Amino acid sequence: METSSVAAFAQAQQVIPGGVNSPARAYGAVGGGPRFIDRGVGSHLYDIDGREYIDYVCSWGPLILGHAHPRVVSALQEACGKGTSFGAPTQVETELAELIVASVPSIDMVRMVNSGTEATMSAVRLARGFTGRDKVLKFEGCWHGHGDSFLIRAGSSALTLGAPDSPGIPQGVADLTLTVAYNDIEAVRKAAKENSAEIAAIIVEPVAGNMGTVLPHDGFLAGLRQVADEEGIVLIFDEVITGFRVGLGGAQERFGITPDLTCLGKIVGGGLPAAAYGGRRDIMENVSPLGMKVSQAGTLSGNPLAMTAGLEQLKMLSEPGVYDRLERISASLADGMAENLRKLGLDYAINRVGGMLCMFFTDGAVGDFAAVGTVDLERFNRYFWAMLDRGVYLAPSQYECMFPSLAHTDLDIDETLRAHFEALKEVH
Ligand SMILES: *Cc1c(COP(=O)(O)O)cnc(C)c1O
């Protein structure tokens, strides 16, 4: 039935490692092969075999307006005609920067980069330069892209030595990364005390979105702010997912905690490759060519097409009522899923905030990576295929969120909930 996707995948595997340009796309977690995509329209996705899906991946977050929004497409068409890249400043970069500064509470100045990975790497380098310290504290289950400093797991002695999480990462780098449990503010205090005057940055997803959806407990983000202030540590919110998704001002606005630096990605590029890091003026004024000249540069940074797509999307997100609408769409999905679970006598956890949510195949509250570790992966995998068979396109992993967009209609939600009910019945 999926002959063309099967053939396309086989062909791709000859010349691209694993046949994909980002590993999660290979469906390794769920088995089987990916669908090759032909096009997307609004909330719907069409594969090269002509099958149609309601899309809850939305390019892993960026497409909060859905696919090929007419305003984004027409802005891009106009920008394309003027040339695709200049390696010289353009006004659209300033326009997008102004809108980011106006929207995100902690950001006085912002530097554009090409990917979330670049944003987090650059923010950490800046924090290290600014503080003159080397260590970084991060949290189990958070993802900050594939920079060396982040591909580190807690070692046997979590508060002293990290362990590389991939071949190719020197132990010397791992030694500088501390990893503690998400939502465990006592572990943060302890690590900060034991590494006093050595930690440059605490980096956190203010709502974790790379172990499903995990919300910060009351006081967790405020606790991080307090420890950072007491110890002279730069607090970095990685809002690559939450930025413009849990509200126009991101998680920092929603939870009322202001970090020193913020990383943005995904939505900020409107579906094109763009990301950004920004924050306090006195820190950002040390990015090259200013102040301490902390190095960071990019041939295609601030690319006019990416800036145009990001700007057009952000303008639409700035219109009144947009986030109330997203909240309604997202809540009707989560509430309907909860209702299905009740009808089926199941007790799975559903975590949701704004336009991000996750149903975990485990009972009880999910507040950290250890709890996420109790999920029934085998059952999730069968559920994933049962949903795909019914035309609902989910991320091929239990550790990802559902990302409803503003293009999702009541009809989409109804169809999704019907598929959800039947798929759950099928796998139990
Ligand atoms: C996706 C993601 C990144 C990395 O962004 P890329 O553009 O894939 O490099 C960083 N942090 C978080 C929280 C993300 O979800």
Side-chain angles (χ1 to χ4, degrees):
M1 188 173 45
E2 282 81 45
T3 335
S4 323
S5 277
V6 170
F9 192 40
Q11 192 182 349
Q13 283 171 296
Q14 297 304 309
V15 286
I16 301 172
V20 290
N21 285 309
S22 195
R25 296 177 201 168
Y27 279 33
V30 293
R35 304 295 157 96
F36 274 57
I37 303 305
D38 176 48
R39 67 191 199 282
V41 182
S43 57
H44 286 224
L45 203 55
Y46 300 81
D47 70 16
I48 60 174
D49 301 283
R51 288 188 46 155
E52 181 177 352
Y53 308 93
I54 304 171
D55 183 12
Y56 290 99
V57 180
C58 289
S59 188
W60 304 80
L63 302 179
I64 197 162
L65 300 171
H67 295 271
H69 191 285
R71 268 179 65 179
V72 175
V73 170
S74 97
L76 275 173
Q77 281 167 335
E78 195 185 320
C80 253
K82 292 163 71 175
T84 58
S85 180
F86 309 110
T90 54
Q91 284 176 302
V92 64
E93 294 162 74
T94 312
E95 256 193 277
L96 180 55
E98 284 173 348
L99 194 46
I100 292 170
V101 167
S103 307
V104 184
S106 70
I107 300 187
D108 302 325
M109 299 184 96
V110 61
R111 174 58 72 78
M112 307 295 179
V113 292
N114 302 286
S115 70
T117 293
E118 227 189 304
T120 56
M121 280 170 29
S122 307
V124 163
R125 182 180 300 142
L126 177 58
R128 284 174 163 155
F130 183 75
T131 59
R133 302 172 180 180
D134 289 340
K135 289 186 180 172
V136 174
L137 179 78
K138 71 175 184 65
F139 297 90
E140 213 181 0
C142 286
W143 170 256
H144 304 294
H146 68 88
D148 283 358
S149 296
F150 307 119
L151 295 183
I152 310 290
R153 59 193 152 75
S156 47
S157 168
L159 296 183
T160 48
L161 286 189
D165 215 5
S166 160
I169 294 174
Q171 183 61 46
V173 174
D175 291 348
L176 299 175
T177 301
L178 311 165
T179 305
V180 300
Y182 194 80
N183 272 329
D184 188 347
I185 194 64
E186 282 318 310
V188 174
R189 287 190 210 285
K190 190 152 177 266
K193 195 178 271 162
E194 290 184 12
N195 297 274
S196 190
E198 291 184 287
I199 301 176
I202 296 173
I203 185 164
V204 66
E205 288 181 78
V207 177
N210 286 284
M211 49 172 160
T213 305
V214 175
L215 277 72
H217 290 165
D218 278 352
F220 177 59
L221 298 176
L224 296 182
R225 183 65 275 173
Q226 193 190 13
V227 171
D229 287 341
E230 286 167 6
E231 300 284 339
I233 297 169
V234 173
L235 180 60
I236 304 173
F237 276 9
D238 179 351
E239 298 228 40
V240 170
I241 285 181
T242 53
F244 313 111
R245 176 163 293 282
V246 302
L248 186 64
Q252 55 196 269
E253 177 186 61
R254 190 168 183 125
F255 294 98
I257 304 294
T258 307
D260 302 305
L261 294 177
T262 297
C263 301
L264 298 169
K266 300 195 166 101
I267 290 173
V268 82
L272 270 76
Y277 66 105
R280 265 166 53 188
R281 184 174 296 276
D282 65 311
I283 302 180
M284 290 303 292
E285 279 183 340
N286 288 294
V287 175
S288 186
L290 298 181
M292 300 168 84
K293 296 187 171 48
V294 176
S295 179
Q296 183 266 307
T299 301
L300 289 172
S301 292
N303 172 265
L305 298 187
M307 295 297 99
T308 296
L311 178 62
E312 200 59 32
Q313 179 156 276
L314 238 56
K315 278 184 185 165
M316 279 182 269
L317 294 176
S318 305
E319 288 166 10
V322 166
Y323 284 93
D324 292 340
R325 201 149 65 76
L326 184 66
E327 194 76 41
R328 250 190 334 271
I329 293 166
S330 185
S332 68
L333 184 61
D335 294 350
M337 288 167 66
E339 179 61 26
N340 282 344
L341 289 174
R342 267 193 299 279
K343 281 189 208 152
L344 291 162
L346 297 169
D347 201 21
Y348 293 152
I350 297 178
N351 287 353
R352 182 186 79 84
V353 55
M356 60 194 285
L357 65 135
C358 182
M359 180 181 81
F360 294 96
F361 279 75
T362 187
D363 299 346
V366 175
D368 61 18
F369 194 60
V372 175
T374 65
V375 295
D376 183 345
L377 284 182
E378 189 271 335
R379 207 187 291 276
F380 169 83
N381 292 347
R382 286 195 288 130
Y383 162 79
F384 166 82
W385 286 107
M387 289 294 273
L388 198 66
D389 282 346
R390 289 170 174 81
V392 181
Y393 189 88
L394 303 175
S397 160
Q398 168 77 91
Y399 303 108
E400 306 291 343
C401 304
M402 284 176 91
F403 292 131
S405 77
L406 288 155
H408 284 73
T409 62
D410 290 346
L411 186 63
D412 288 331
I413 304 295
D414 288 349
E415 283 181 23
T416 304
L417 291 175
R418 211 169 310 128
H420 176 255
F421 185 82
E422 288 169 12
L424 280 177
K425 227 164 62 178
E426 185 182 309
V427 304
H428 285 90

